[in-house]
Amino acid sequence: MGIVDPLLTVRESARILQISVPTFWRRVADGTVPKPVKLGGLSRWPESEILAVIEQAKAARIK
């Protein structure tokens, strides 16, 4: 079995980004945060994608 990439809830994802849940959904709508993986009626985000949002923001400030 390979490395596991945990799936995070909207609250967990927003907490990592230190934003509110409504702001998190706005960032999904504007494309800053990727759309969720849908599992039935559940929305989840791979932890690696949330961490990538932070890395992209860090890289953008250097430009």
Side-chain angles (χ1 to χ4, degrees), residues 6-45:
L7 294 176
L8 306 175
T9 65
V10 65
R11 286 185 179 153
E12 292 168 331
S13 300
R15 189 175 313 123
I16 289 172
L17 295 175
Q18 298 181 4
I19 59 177
S20 68
V21 170
T23 298
F24 183 86
W25 282 115
R26 282 193 293 274
R27 299 295 77 88
V28 171
D30 72 16
T32 304
V33 173
K35 292 182 179 181
V37 173
K38 299 298 276 189
L39 300 170
L42 303 175
S43 296
R44 298 290 186 265
W45 288 261

Side-chain angles (χ1 to χ4, degrees), residues 35-57:
K35 292 182 179 181
V37 173
K38 299 298 276 189
L39 300 170
L42 303 175
S43 296
R44 298 290 186 265
W45 288 261
E47 184 178 49
S48 62
E49 291 183 7
I50 298 303
L51 296 176
V53 170
I54 296 169
E55 292 305 315
Q56 290 168 357

